[in-house]
Amino acid sequence: MSNGPVGVALVGAGVISGQYLRNLTAFPDVRVIAVADLDTGRAAAAAGEHGVPVSGTLAEILALPEVELVVNLTVPSAHAAVALESLRAGKHVYGEKPLALDLDEAAKVMAEAAGRGLRVGGAPDTFLGGGLQSAVHALRSGLIGAPVAVTAAVQSLGPESWHPSPEFLYQPGAGPLFDLGPYYLTALVSLLGPVSRVAAGLRRARDQRVIGSGPKEGTLFPVEVPTHVNALLDFPGTATATATFSFDSAVGRRMIEIIGTEGALSLPDPNTFEGPLLVRGARDADWRELPVSGTMAGRGIGVLDLARSIRAGAPHRASGELAYHVLELMSAITESGERSEFRRVVSTAAAPEPLPDDWDPYAATLS
């Protein structure tokens, strides 16, 4: 298929699927054909709510010839298996983060796609939102001179106080590093390019946590991953960054600050698509807000960019290579903390080209 909107199916009808379905069904360059889930009743409910014509199992939606691209919204432990099954059925794949639980699984996904001439894309796509795209333009314009240092942090007491089923967020493939780290690391790579080496320290404040809301309120569950991570990232030829990812902090924080030779940028929360974007010059007494432009449509713009790129035969921005590099960063951070040594990062991923100024997710560009 080489003309018209790209046929899309979603796999995984959990909480995050609602955001994807609301957006993707509003973008004219994609056509959402089906929703699949292990719980076929849940898939049918999600499909019905958003006017999607087909629901069922993964095998059933992969058998549909009009499905060209599978959006994989399953739990992290299923990411690689669903991606591989979709690729073997001849479908392009876009997956929620992380790309896989480990690099071996991720490498199999990338190799399968390459062998079949198919594409892999990966969340997060927040770096394509107006806030972070405006930051890219500000940085490339030389507004703060040459980048020297970065401080990034995402800190809280963890999601169990509000999430009704938070257990998976404390299992391998999650924790603050693997769950929230991709937003921050992807933003940094999109701004500064790939990382060459990392060092880290890991901590875990408690071995058990308590669900604080919903039908399982008061239930104890085990913590299987580090819940406080401090990392040092080396961007060759540009800046170094310090980053904190924590579910152990009584002080909440979501920030990225880039210090340059002529000033500093304070970036928006990289788990959002909007502003504010702030700048402070060397002689400024305080921060001032910069204008933000670009799409703020939300989750799914990476899927749309992939779909349009498939039709155009052009590179897509939220690529499998970028998702693989971020996964290797997180794996190397974990290994560094466990071994108390610097770890080299083998993979690379170029900073994606910014979206064109006139890029509009609601415009029909495919015919």
Side-chain angles (χ1 to χ4, degrees):
M1 300 181 184
S2 58
N3 295 304
V6 173
V8 170
L10 269 70
V11 182
V15 174
I16 197 67
S17 69
Q19 295 182 44
Y20 277 93
L21 285 166
R22 279 193 298 275
N23 289 328
L24 292 176
T25 55
F27 299 160
D29 282 346
V30 298
R31 183 164 61 100
V32 184
I33 293 166
V35 179
D37 196 277
L38 289 172
D39 182 342
T40 54
R42 186 164 71 167
E49 181 180 353
H50 296 278
V52 177
V54 179
S55 67
T57 66
L58 175 61
E60 287 168 341
I61 66 105
L62 291 180
L64 299 172
E66 59 268 40
V67 172
E68 301 171 71
L69 170 60
V70 170
V71 179
N72 181 5
L73 306 181
T74 57
V75 296
S77 59
H79 284 180
V82 170
L84 287 169
E85 190 170 348
S86 301
L87 291 165
R88 289 164 183 160
K91 317 297 185 184
H92 305 284
V93 173
Y94 180 97
E96 254 301 333
K97 44 80 183 170
L99 180 61
L101 282 186
D102 59 49
L103 290 175
D104 287 342
E105 285 188 345
K108 291 175 184 177
V109 170
M110 298 301 292
E112 189 74 31
R116 295 177 180 272
L118 296 169
R119 298 202 189 204
V120 175
D125 56 4
T126 45
F127 75 96
L128 298 174
L132 291 176
Q133 288 286 291
S134 297
V136 171
H137 289 298
L139 196 64
R140 293 189 178 188
S141 74
L143 182 63
I144 64 167
V148 175
V150 180
T151 302
V154 54
Q155 301 170 200
S156 73
L157 284 173
E160 68 271 18
S161 64
W162 57 267
H163 199 297
S165 296
E167 298 94 328
F168 77 98
L169 292 168
Y170 291 87
Q171 295 171 353
L177 177 60
F178 279 77
D179 182 48
L180 297 176
Y183 299 108
Y184 291 77
L185 296 172
T186 302
L188 292 178
V189 173
S190 76
L191 288 156
L192 300 170
V195 175
S196 61
R197 61 177 184 159
V198 303
L202 312 176
R203 295 292 185 271
R204 184 168 64 201
R206 302 189 296 281
D207 293 330
Q208 291 183 315
R209 298 215 173 197
V210 181
I211 299 175
S213 64
K216 295 189 286 186
E217 182 176 354
T219 303
L220 280 170
F221 65 92
V223 176
E224 302 177 30
V225 293
T227 48
H228 186 90
V229 178
N230 286 326
L232 175 65
L233 314 171
D234 190 0
F235 295 86
T238 56
T240 58
T242 57
T244 300
F245 311 96
S246 182
F247 284 165
D248 293 332
S249 174
V251 177
R253 186 172 295 159
R254 292 174 178 261
M255 55 89 72
I256 298 177
E257 190 173 289
I258 303 176
I259 304 297
T261 54
E262 303 296 331
L265 282 175
S266 176
L267 274 57
D269 178 351
N271 194 5
T272 68
F273 294 81
E274 304 175 357
L277 174 64
L278 308 177
V279 66
R280 184 170 180 173
R283 296 178 179 82
D284 291 342
D286 206 348
W287 298 92
R288 58 185 172 86
E289 193 163 346
L290 291 173
V292 167
S293 62
T295 183
M296 301 177 192
R299 281 172 173 78
I301 57 175
V303 178
L304 176 61
D305 178 60
L306 171 55
R308 288 176 171 175
S309 298
I310 289 169
R311 288 287 186 264
H316 58 288
R317 292 167 176 82
S319 68
E321 290 76 14
L322 177 57
Y324 184 94
H325 184 64
V326 169
L327 177 62
E328 186 179 359
L329 291 184
M330 296 187 296
S331 300
I333 287 168
T334 302
E335 291 175 0
S336 172
E338 292 171 345
R339 301 182 184 186
S340 299
E341 63 183 24
F342 270 95
R343 299 295 293 173
R344 293 255 170 219
V345 179
V346 177
S347 66
T348 189
E353 284 301 307
L355 289 170
D357 291 339
D358 60 353
W359 196 87
D360 181 359
Y362 301 105
T365 68
L366 304 178
S367 59

